Amino acid sequence: MSICYLDGSYQPLTEARISPMDRGFLFGDGAYEVIPVYSRRPFRIAEHIARLGRTLDAVRIPNPHAAAEWETIVGELVARNAWVDQSIYLHVSRGPDERRNHAFPAVMRPTVFLMSEALVTPSADVLASGVAAVSAADFRWARCDLKTTALLANCLLRQVAIDKGCAETVLFRDGFLTEGAASNIFIVRDGVLLAPPKSHLMLPGITYDVVLELAARHGLKHQVREILEDEVRTAEEVWLTSSTKEVLAITSLDGRPVGDGRPGPVGREMHAWYQEFKNTVMRVG
């Protein structure tokens, strides 16, 4: 049975309840993080908590816990759940109000909710074949750097992929790559790894940082710059990255093969580096 945390209480997930007047429920008025846990060790928890704090500050929700308190709550939740590798979802809404009102409550009582799921990464078969993706115009709001719970646009964009039997939707805005509906996107051209720069139009992913760190550590040529849509469509390799998908090749985009339609050599090498890093750093602490 999965154990969650809700406003100071650890309890079975099936028994957790919030008020229907909670602004997270009514407006999607909240922030969240997803923290991967390897061998019961939360990965880069300080960075995740710092990113949560930046989002809360930007949307003017009082942070209900200091960093050390967050780490204690996450650690206890990990200990209370059965999986060795976990995915911790952490959610802070602005809390309940007495009536439905767009304006903030005079007194804010943030709702704090955390839950755990088994961390499941791509299978060997998926890694060997890669996945198909589609593309779409990025119609999300202009603060995609904030990890807020108002994800309807992302859900709609991800469903575009699901409806076509694909794994992800690659997003373009004004002719440039931004990210995926639920991932960051990298490409390889002429053997050089290219990543779009962090901006208000994309989420600064923790896995995104790890990939660039590994590229620098292993001497892989890489650039962080604006990437044209045409560069993506003619790339030798396209990857999606996230804490659950890790480094996964996109081998088909809009029904056309990427490169030769198989995971490319740079991506295979990056995946091997990532696995080594996971086993020697993420699992060790």
Side-chain angles (χ1 to χ4, degrees), residues 266-284:
V266 180
R268 292 197 300 270
E269 194 166 41
M270 179 58 72
H271 182 266
W273 294 337
Y274 192 93
Q275 296 308 306
E276 179 186 28
F277 181 76
K278 182 167 70 174
N279 291 327
T280 59
V281 176
M282 295 179 181
R283 294 194 182 281
V284 175

Side-chain angles (χ1 to χ4, degrees), residues 134-150:
V134 295
S135 68
D138 189 348
F139 56 72
R140 301 171 302 164
W141 75 324
R143 290 307 309 271
C144 297
D145 56 315
L146 302 179
K147 205 168 177 70
T148 69
T149 59

